[in-house]
Amino acid sequence: MRSLVYAANWKMHLPPAEARGFAARFLELTRPAEGRELWFFPPAVSLETTAAALNTRPDIRVGAQDVYWEPKGAFTGATSVALASGAGASGALVGHSERRHVFGETDAETGLKVRALLGAGMVPMLCVGEKLAEREAGQTEAVVRRQLHAGLEGLDAAALARVLIAYEPVWAIGTGRNATPPDAAVVHRSIRKDLAALGARGRLPVLYGGSVNKGNVLGLLAEEEVDGVLVGGASLDPEGW
Ligand code: PEP
């Protein structure tokens, strides 16, 4: 049976006091399960609080929503890999669609972030996905391939084995409109081919994200190609887990 990864992107929600409350309730409600790994990506100001509460469970890991690749210096507003690590993070999202399309992050920058994280022994969760116009133009696989190459090209198999991928079609994020399970599976299959071409050995976890909720998660996970989910809005309620 394949392992599953459930990841929560809290975006710009849950300040430290609320994150502490979430964690306490979550720990009351859930137990570790074999073959299931959980990731929480709180906002930077809540990273330390969340990590202190949730790193107590071996099946849970906490990560930053973004990192900057420079180790230190005059980069106001940025969080280095070392700062995130010092706050208890063991990884970070890279290239989330909101970083790419709201803040203008480039493909090349995602590559620098992936390398900075791997260099510090941390886990990058590289997010890839096409915009609606790209899907409608039949460019989905090509866009995702470009993003994967920019993020991962040149890494050896050992480094690639430490990477998680999240396929998140931009048109499905926060819109209530998600890809059907077979649609997601087609792109996941293409991602696996791209990863093999990049030199990955074995099976890297490829998660699906985009308006995942209690009502559609089982259908998505029923696809053999889907190794887990990255959830935004629906992850904020500990009772919903
Ligand atoms: C996300 O933020 O990565 C995401 C998938 O958000 P939502 O679940 O709200 O669409």
Side-chain angles (χ1 to χ4, degrees), residues 9 11 96 98 168 172-175 209-212 230-234:
N9 174 16
K11 309 194 191 218
H96 187 275
E98 287 143 25
E168 299 206 298
I173 298 179
T175 58
S211 295
V212 174
L230 174 56
V231 186

Side-chain angles (χ1 to χ4, degrees), residues 81-215:
V81 168
L83 287 172
S85 170
S90 46
L93 296 176
V94 175
H96 187 275
S97 90
E98 287 143 25
R99 298 305 316 172
R100 291 179 191 267
H101 303 300
V102 180
F103 296 99
E105 180 167 315
T106 64
D107 286 344
E109 287 171 344
T110 65
L112 292 168
K113 292 178 180 188
V114 167
R115 279 158 188 76
L117 285 158
L118 289 171
M122 292 171 74
V123 176
M125 185 179 287
L126 177 64
C127 304
V128 295
E130 80 288 3
K131 293 191 270 192
L132 185 58
E134 292 165 335
R135 168 160 284 252
E136 287 172 349
Q139 295 166 348
T140 297
E141 274 100 339
V143 168
V144 167
R145 184 169 309 123
R146 190 198 74 223
Q147 293 170 335
L148 289 169
H149 276 259
L152 305 175
E153 193 136 54
L155 297 178
D156 63 23
L160 286 170
R162 290 164 42 213
V163 174
L164 301 169
I165 305 295
Y167 167 56
E168 299 206 298
V170 178
W171 48 270
I173 298 179
T175 58
R177 206 184 139 188
N178 70 324
T180 65
D183 282 345
V186 167
V187 184
H188 281 223
R189 260 192 294 281
S190 160
I191 288 174
R192 284 191 203 292
K193 280 196 199 129
D194 295 335
L195 292 172
L198 281 160
R201 291 200 211 105
R203 183 175 175 125
L204 264 59
V206 182
L207 282 55
Y208 170 79
S211 295
V212 174
N213 58 40
K214 279 191 284 192

